[in-house]
Amino acid sequence: MQWSGAPIAVVGIGADGWDGLGSAAREAVELADVVFGSGRQLALVPAAVSGPERVRWPVPLLPALPDLFRAHRGSRVCVLASGDPMFYGIGVSLAKLVGPQALRVLPQPSSAALACARLGWGLAQTPVVSAVGRRLETVLPELADRRRILLLSSDERTPGELAKLLSCNGFGSSLLTVLEQLGGPAERVVSGEAAVWDAPPGDPLNIVAVDCLADPGAPRLTRLPGLPDGVYAGDGQLTKAEVRALSLAALAPAPGELLWDVGGGSGTIAIEWCRTHPECSAIAFERSGARREQIAGNAAALGVPGVAIVGEVIAELADGGLAEPDAIFLGGGLTQPGVFESCWARLRPGGRLVANAVTAESETRLVAWAAEFGGALRRFQIHRAEPLGGFTAWRPQLPVTQWSVIKQAEVDPNPDGQR
């Protein structure tokens, strides 16, 4: 969207309200024709500031932003935000909408900065997870024994819901510290252990500090691929832990990248791809409705409820509208006509494709594709120790043939247009 006129002033305002603003921020509000903000934020501006029109944000907000700002083109616009507008705030959305050059951002300390100041924690070493507009389960991949985490609450119910979530996932011994109205006259701090948390809901403007402490015997679930097979529910259709770790290593996820997981099964590849970094995303293709449900359940239970789950790959690609992937995992459909060809055509240049085969027919396809497109072929066989009477024997798993390849950009044979 093109913005004309004066830059949009995006003013961070804390719980200390008008008194906490500097002269430049106050002037931006006072000289505006219109001021946007939540009801709480607008109430922090004194009634004596009578010049600008005050407009409360509509709900839902993001879909309404383009029309809202088109209607005020040519006006001097000020937007109120909580604390630092560029820290999980409206400033990020506005920068995407009108471009950073159309903004004049005047930040205050973020709630995370204030919380770390109160607790004596190092802000740079403290991960921050937001539950505002997001599922609370997204905190789960961050949990680790003796780690410190900050959670931006959605409302006053979030601390209690977080305590239950931690208790159900092996971290009931963790210490929660709820910091409300930071920097304002009503600032309050409440602490307690997650497993016995009984504090009533307090102020909706709060941030929760978590001193993580794993319960005895709790499974160790890090962001590294290769989670224990037992953490996945379903019908047993899954890529086993050892092969999963090797497959994710070949797929090589990086922050912000999108994976297509074709033949999702229990969702293991898509889930562990997304767990590697909060900005990784995945689309799982699965023809079975029952398995789509189990993928959704596993994704939520393992902290990545944002995994997109769709139907059979050929049908979904025919409908169009799916984003171009950075990587593709073919765990199924290798012998189905058109699956590889359709996926390969949509993979961006420089993207990676990894395919696993356990049958002779599927392996034959991999060998042929490797001969045509290049890449590397590998075969793995995992042996697991199992009891045999009073002894221990090695049980071989099915051997897996893996093909991994990087799609090369097509070279124009006539770059100057000569024929």
Side-chain angles (χ1 to χ4, degrees):
M1 171 181 170
Q2 191 73 26
W3 180 258
S4 58
I8 300 167
V10 187
V11 174
I13 189 166
D16 50 356
W18 191 253
D19 292 339
L21 296 182
S23 59
R26 290 188 183 189
E27 184 179 70
V29 178
E30 293 168 336
L31 297 180
D33 296 317
V34 58
V35 177
F36 294 111
S38 67
R40 180 187 62 80
Q41 292 160 349
L42 293 171
L44 294 173
V45 179
V49 182
S50 58
E53 176 190 2
R54 305 185 188 206
V55 178
R56 188 168 180 168
W57 290 126
V59 178
L61 172 59
L62 293 183
L65 283 179
D67 289 341
L68 200 60
F69 280 85
R70 284 192 194 99
H72 289 86
R73 270 189 178 144
S75 300
R76 289 173 298 182
V77 174
C78 178
V79 170
L80 296 181
S82 293
D84 185 347
M86 307 307 291
F87 183 75
Y88 291 99
I90 188 65
V92 178
S93 299
L94 292 179
K96 292 178 181 178
L97 178 65
V98 300
Q101 71 283 348
L103 303 180
R104 179 184 174 220
V105 181
L106 300 165
Q108 288 281 87
S110 68
S111 58
L114 290 171
C116 285
R118 300 292 186 272
L119 297 166
W121 292 6
L123 179 58
Q125 292 78 40
T126 305
V128 181
V129 181
S130 177
V132 181
R134 299 172 176 85
R135 294 271 294 272
L136 187 58
E137 292 94 339
T138 56
V139 75
L140 293 175
E142 298 290 351
L143 300 180
D145 193 33
R146 293 168 292 172
R147 197 181 192 201
R148 291 169 167 175
I149 298 170
L150 291 175
L151 179 83
L152 304 180
S153 289
S154 176
D155 54 33
E156 68 276 12
R157 297 185 299 274
T158 302
E161 294 168 353
L162 176 62
K164 292 179 182 177
L165 184 68
L166 294 174
S167 298
C168 293
N169 284 274
F171 282 84
S173 302
S174 302
L175 176 66
L176 304 187
T177 302
V178 182
L179 303 103
E180 302 175 351
Q181 289 284 337
L182 278 170
E187 182 173 318
R188 188 173 80 114
V189 177
V190 180
S191 297
E193 187 179 328
V196 294
W197 184 265
D198 60 356
D203 193 278
L205 186 64
N206 72 82
I207 184 170
V208 187
V210 185
D211 265 305
C212 298
L213 187 60
D215 300 335
R220 184 176 174 84
L221 307 179
T222 72
R223 286 193 177 276
L224 292 178
L227 297 180
D229 295 340
V231 303
Y232 290 97
D235 58 6
Q237 182 70 25
L238 81 167
T239 303
K240 296 296 191 292
E242 300 87 352
V243 176
R244 195 185 320 135
L246 293 166
S247 300
L248 265 298
L251 287 165
E257 289 191 326
L258 170 66
L259 170 76
W260 283 4
D261 180 6
V262 179
S266 296
T268 58
I269 297 292
I271 288 168
E272 296 192 24
W273 167 281
C274 291
R275 282 178 60 93
T276 61
H277 194 276
E279 293 180 13
C280 285
S281 59
I283 300 173
F285 296 85
E286 175 54 58
R287 68 171 70 229
S288 166
R291 285 181 178 166
R292 289 196 294 272
E293 290 182 7
Q294 75 184 23
I295 293 172
N298 286 330
L302 290 167
V304 286
V307 170
I309 306 163
V310 297
E312 193 272 333
V313 61
I314 295 294
E316 294 291 343
L317 295 184
D319 289 342
L322 294 177
E324 187 178 75
D326 299 285
I328 296 175
F329 177 71
L330 294 180
L334 294 179
T335 59
Q336 182 182 345
V339 168
F340 165 73
E341 292 78 8
S342 298
C343 290
W344 184 255
R346 293 290 301 275
L347 182 64
R348 68 166 181 82
R352 292 88 62 203
L353 183 144
V354 174
N356 289 352
V358 295
T359 68
E361 292 80 4
S362 296
E363 183 180 278
T364 300
R365 296 292 181 94
L366 298 190
V367 173
W369 290 331
E372 181 176 357
F373 298 99
L377 283 168
R378 300 179 179 89
R379 173 175 278 188
F380 313 117
Q381 185 167 29
I382 306 300
H383 292 71
R384 292 181 175 180
E386 295 182 5
L388 181 63
F391 298 91
T392 301
W394 292 104
R395 295 284 188 189
Q397 309 293 302
L398 286 174
V400 176
T401 300
Q402 183 181 92
W403 175 47
S404 59
V405 61
I406 297 174
K407 184 176 181 179
Q408 304 299 320
E410 295 184 4
V411 178
D412 187 349
N414 298 285
D416 299 323
Q418 301 174 356
R419 294 290 183 267

